[in-house]
Amino acid sequence: RLPQEVEEGYLGSGSRGKVVWLDPDEPDVVFDELLDLNDRNLSRLAAILQPFSEDALGTCIEERTPALVSLTLLEEEEDDYPYPMADDKTLGDFLGTWRRGLVRVVHFMGPAACDVMLEGRGGAKCSGLPDRRDSVGIQAGPNTILLFRPDCYAYSCATESEALTIMASLLSAPPQFSLSGWDGDTELLNAVAGGPPPPSWPEHINVMNCNTRLGASWDEPAMMHAGLVGGCDTVAEIPFSRFDVNFYFCAEPDEIQFGPPRTIQRHTSFVDAVDLFDNKYFEISSAEAGAMDPLQRQVLEVGGACLFQQGISKKVSNRQAHHAGCSVGLDKADFSTMGIDAGPSAGNNALAIVANRFSFTFNLKGANFICDTACSASLTATHLAKLMLLERTWDPLDFHIAIGTHLCLSPGPWIGCSMSHMVSPEGRCFSFNSSAAGYLRGEGTSGQFLKF
């Protein structure tokens, strides 16, 4: 079956099918005498149209795609043919066909007839067609061959029983790019230090997307970028919803060593609504969700967003497992020190479960683990993810989700960091500045979808 992102683009609106490509370059291509005959007929049609394509289409037909054979997927077969994951090649081939497609040829081979509808797209190209119609409907019986322009008409095909089709797209020439010159001052390019050479293939790892849950609702990378460019920060006073900072605050850093345990810092960067969680999306019961460490919720939300942007929703992951890994960098477990009765958890909130639960929820079968290397935990989790993706011999992964997370739920770490004079009394880091007097604790969760 074709991936969900491209199925209707190839087969038509509302169409579902069991498919195979008749690509002669593939070593395990299916050979059938009748299919091969009809495939060669598609090439003959392309050869007949080619001399007239410049006048009729405005550009010349240069080549055709491999034939796509499709057999109607019946409703009762849906569970047996889940959507596969769309890889880069599939999406790239579809995009190239969509951009360069001049004519679509569909040969209906039966046995059932198909109800075909062509809906005009409008625009300048359509208005120039001779005998133009806004919509065309036909019943395509066995051995009907349909040719249409995909840039002028949207194609849909419906049938209530099995029908076999073989189709191909006739394409224009691929675009050719060349650098003819440039403007501007190029001296800056010469002034930049060369640095080490980039890693050689196959050491490259692709970052397919990234997602964030940060303070000030910087919940998208673009929002974080805009905030940093604008010179903003997300620092606020510790809210009462976490704890009463006035009870623990000491205004004089030199007196922190005397008296009860206190903190010299009353500001930080907080993620909003860490107590809220859409447990139904992740198919987690309300009772279990209430006892979960908020770190687990943040990891599920951010990592789930990374998967969703690649076409893997919770329902998709239920139908199809992926041999993929998950690594989470963290170094605090404040939730267990807050005195909240989480009920009989049986290790439910052990740190290892943060990554375990994510893999279990989204049906990922590769290795999952946490990294606790203090401030470098997220970097270490991402680096180990890279090493695992580069290993393509013994355990090649489909992809890897690398996440870093941190929440400030308890006053304990503030007190400890203040007693050791690690944090800034001003509530700011002032990095690379002579006025720097310590660091600022903060919250956030970021995740990346990594792929070889």
Side-chain angles (χ1 to χ4, degrees):
R1 189 172 186 179
L2 291 168
Q4 187 174 12
E5 294 87 345
V6 302
E7 184 174 57
E8 290 193 355
Y10 278 118
L11 304 183
S13 177
S15 298
R16 299 168 299 176
K18 298 168 283 188
V19 301
V20 63
W21 290 96
L22 301 184
D23 189 347
D25 295 332
E26 293 293 334
D28 55 348
V29 63
V30 175
F31 179 81
D32 178 85
E33 185 175 354
L34 181 58
L35 291 178
D36 182 62
L37 176 63
N38 288 333
D39 186 19
R40 284 187 275 121
N41 284 338
L42 298 181
S43 296
R44 292 191 185 97
L45 282 172
I48 293 172
L49 294 174
Q50 189 175 35
F52 311 99
S53 58
E54 186 77 36
D55 293 332
L57 304 173
T59 186
C60 184
I61 294 175
E62 290 288 336
E63 58 181 327
R64 51 154 291 198
T65 63
L68 176 64
V69 180
S70 173
L71 181 64
T72 305
L73 181 66
L74 303 178
E75 187 173 351
E76 57 268 21
E77 297 177 314
E78 280 279 350
D79 294 338
D80 297 329
Y81 293 89
Y83 286 112
M85 181 179 176
D87 55 28
D88 295 340
K89 183 179 185 304
T90 300
L91 296 176
D93 290 345
F94 175 75
L95 183 60
T97 301
W98 176 73
R99 285 177 171 173
R100 298 169 52 203
L102 299 175
V103 177
R104 179 81 62 84
V105 184
V106 186
H107 184 174
F108 299 88
M109 299 177 61
C114 298
D115 294 322
V116 176
M117 181 63 67
L118 298 176
E119 296 286 349
R121 297 185 184 275
K125 291 184 178 180
C126 294
S127 61
L129 292 176
D131 192 24
R132 176 180 175 272
R133 302 181 188 179
D134 291 333
S135 64
V136 179
I138 64 170
Q139 188 174 55
N143 287 326
T144 299
I145 298 179
L146 171 68
L147 292 88
F148 67 95
R149 290 181 57 174
D151 58 342
C152 296
Y153 287 97
Y155 166 75
S156 63
C157 177
T159 180
E160 295 182 356
S161 55
E162 286 192 335
L164 186 70
T165 60
I166 179 171
M167 63 190 73
S169 292
L170 311 185
L171 308 177
S172 62
Q176 301 292 329
F177 300 99
S178 62
L179 180 63
S180 59
W182 60 85
D183 296 324
D185 184 8
T186 61
E187 291 300 321
L188 180 62
L189 299 177
N190 298 327
V192 176
S200 59
W201 184 263
E203 294 185 12
H204 291 130
I205 295 298
N206 299 300
V207 180
M208 307 304 293
N209 64 56
C210 58
N211 282 276
T212 59
R213 283 292 307 277
L214 303 174
S217 297
W218 287 1
D219 292 345
E220 295 180 8
M223 298 173 67
M224 177 183 177
H225 178 264
L228 295 177
V229 170
C232 305
D233 66 25
T234 63
V235 176
E237 186 169 301
I238 298 173
F240 189 77
S241 59
R242 297 300 171 90
F243 57 87
D244 184 4
V245 67
N246 294 315
F247 181 80
Y248 298 97
F249 182 66
C250 175
E252 297 295 333
D254 294 336
E255 299 178 4
I256 193 69
Q257 303 292 346
F258 308 100
R262 291 174 293 175
T263 174
I264 60 175
Q265 196 171 75
R266 60 184 305 127
H267 295 82
T268 194
S269 176
F270 281 94
V271 174
D272 294 330
V274 296
D275 55 327
L276 303 180
F277 181 59
D278 184 8
N279 58 293
K280 291 184 178 179
Y281 176 81
F282 301 99
E283 299 177 4
I284 297 174
S285 68
S286 299
E288 185 176 4
M292 284 171 54
D293 189 327
L295 285 175
Q296 296 185 24
R297 305 177 197 170
Q298 297 285 292
V299 167
L300 285 172
E301 290 175 349
V302 172
C306 291
L307 292 175
F308 187 82
Q309 290 181 4
Q310 294 300 117
I312 306 175
S313 64
K314 181 67 174 80
K315 290 184 178 180
V316 170
S317 65
N318 288 345
R319 294 195 302 264
Q320 180 183 4
H322 293 88
H323 189 62
C326 172
S327 57
V328 179
L330 50 82
D331 78 326
K332 294 290 189 297
D334 289 5
F335 186 70
S336 61
T337 67
M338 296 176 63
I340 297 177
D341 183 12
S345 60
N348 185 55
N349 286 320
L351 286 183
I353 302 299
V354 177
N356 297 160
R357 185 187 290 276
F358 183 84
S359 290
F360 175 79
T361 300
F362 288 100
N363 207 6
L364 307 183
K365 302 302 184 182
N368 59 75
F369 54 91
I370 67 158
C371 299
D372 181 359
T373 56
C375 299
S376 63
S378 301
L379 179 63
T380 304
T382 306
H383 180 67
L384 292 177
K386 171 191 172 182
L387 297 180
M388 294 183 68
L389 286 169
L390 289 176
E391 201 293 294
R392 311 305 295 174
T393 303
W394 304 107
D395 188 27
L397 295 177
D398 297 337
F399 57 85
H400 192 104
I401 303 295
I403 301 174
T405 185
H406 188 259
L407 292 177
C408 304
L409 305 177
S410 167
W414 261 289
I415 294 172
C417 291
S418 295
M419 299 286 285
S420 56
H421 298 282
M422 295 171 60
V423 294
S424 168
E426 288 80 10
R428 295 293 191 280
C429 288
F430 299 111
S431 301
F432 312 113
N433 191 288
S434 60
S435 62
Y439 85 103
L440 175 73
R441 303 188 71 229
E443 296 185 339
T445 302
S446 299
Q448 294 180 332
F449 188 109
L450 306 175
K451 194 173 181 182
F452 181 75

